[in-house]
């Protein structure tokens, strides 16, 4: 069994954004030289997500509005977590809706994607450098 | 390390449905001849889900109503994604709540399920043939 | 390829709680003697979750209030699932938001965690003994 590990760094200037990280994760797979196995791609931070969906700007706008409706940032004071001096309680919730990680099959040396699947980093508390972990195991 | 791959096809006539796919996924496991490992089961489409929960019709009715409350289909025009000519923005959201994939342990040649765990395909934008990927690695 | 399996039991007295299970899951990893691979940690019951987030009491309070807003326990009679004699339909929904499982990379014999990542058992229908499965594969 082979295994491969890499950290990818992202620094989103605003509070929230969705970044298509498929090219960087595919570069990891090529570097790993693994042809059959499983790839785990996860946010290493608890106010961000890794998820698979469509690379369409309108959808990302809709996700942002929808998540803000489900877990509003304001008023910051309504969250007990924010009494610790943070203002990111809403980001911890948005991340649970969108998920921490994806596991992707590796078949024939490629990610075994459906027709529109793309891997995204979802940032809900940006403004600093944060990491995504890529771990691939197989042969 | 052994690896196994299969696509399962589903064509749900209406817009939304939950289909118990446990028997087909268990058939994959038998075919794989893997006794210890991990199985990934994921929707290959970004408006459907694979998840594990209870095979109880009332619950599926409740899930459907609940998801429609969290991410209503109508009015279609309120989603920017739907300006692309689609009407399925809500399906992209419902899928995030229910998840893209499950990873299930394989122990002693069987899925290592709790007492009520069953694998479901959740369709949120049906009316056409769509795929689920089963990838199993182990020994 | 090595594989390891263990069930962890939890009995939460009230209806809902979040329990930090990181120490027990780390003990499993040490016992497995696996240094490179993937660990799956999943709830074996369909009204509870395993997820990764922050070990901060205020946040757990916020999660509990937020989930109760998204999928209220009362009125019990509004859920069709509860006509089966159950009163836990809301727990099946809360579990979908928080997730069934996490997959964690194992690197150099340790969980490859980001700075604040901790593994939690989330109980949404407590008052009885329930299980978490730890399955680790690798070398």
């Amino acid at each position: 069994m082979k295994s491969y590990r890499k950290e990818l760094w992202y620094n989103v200037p605003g509070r929230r954004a969705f970044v298509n990280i498929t090219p960087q994760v595919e570069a990891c797979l090529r570097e790993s030289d693994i042809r059959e196995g499983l790839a785990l791609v996860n946010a290493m931070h608890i106010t961000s997500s890794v998820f698979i969906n469509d690379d369409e700007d309108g959808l990302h706008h809709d996700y942002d509005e929808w998540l803000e409706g489900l877990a509003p940032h304001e008023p910051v004071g309504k969250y007990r977590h924010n009494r610790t001096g943070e203002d990111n309680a809403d980001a911890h919730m948005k991340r649970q809706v969108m998920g921490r990680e994806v596991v992707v099959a590796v078949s024939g040396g490629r990610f075994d994607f459906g027709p529109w699947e793309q891997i995204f980093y979802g940032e809900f508390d940006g403004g600093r450098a944060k990491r995504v972990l890529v771990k691939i195991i197989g042969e």
Side-chain angles (χ1 to χ4, degrees), chain A:
Chain A
M1 198 200 80
K2 280 187 200 173
S3 71
Y4 172 92
R5 175 194 193 278
K6 190 155 207 168
E7 292 176 8
L8 305 173
W9 288 83
Y10 297 95
N11 195 336
V12 166
R15 183 171 290 275
R16 297 197 299 270
F18 299 115
V19 183
N20 187 338
I21 64 172
T22 314
Q24 293 98 306
V25 183
E26 287 179 331
C28 290
L29 178 56
R30 286 191 296 274
E31 205 173 85
S32 76
D33 211 28
I34 290 172
R35 295 191 59 79
E36 294 294 325
L38 293 177
L40 167 69
V41 189
N42 70 266
M44 297 186 77
H45 299 258
I46 53 189
T47 49
S48 55
S49 287
V50 169
F51 67 96
I52 284 179
N53 217 294
D54 197 3
D55 196 0
E56 200 278 300
D57 284 351
L59 180 65
H60 298 173
H61 171 89
D62 294 336
Y63 272 146
D64 191 53
E65 287 211 333
W66 176 65
L67 290 167
E68 191 60 18
L70 293 180
H73 180 65
E74 305 272 4
V76 166
K78 87 166 177 172
Y79 297 107
R80 200 172 288 185
H81 178 58
N82 291 340
R83 296 184 195 167
T84 62
E86 300 280 0
D87 67 352
N88 64 7
D90 65 302
H92 289 275
M93 282 148 207
K94 288 164 174 139
R95 119 70 170 257
Q96 289 304 127
V97 176
M98 297 304 277
R100 168 186 178 262
E101 76 213 15
V102 293
V103 177
V104 186
V106 176
S107 302
R110 304 185 65 172
F111 288 124
D112 207 331
F113 282 140
W116 298 99
E117 289 193 299
Q118 297 280 297
I119 306 176
F120 288 89
Y121 176 67
E123 179 63 83
F124 307 114
D125 184 30
R128 59 204 164 91
K130 293 164 79 173
R131 285 172 288 162
V132 166
L133 180 66
V134 180
K135 182 90 183 185
I136 312 173
I137 69 169
E139 281 187 337

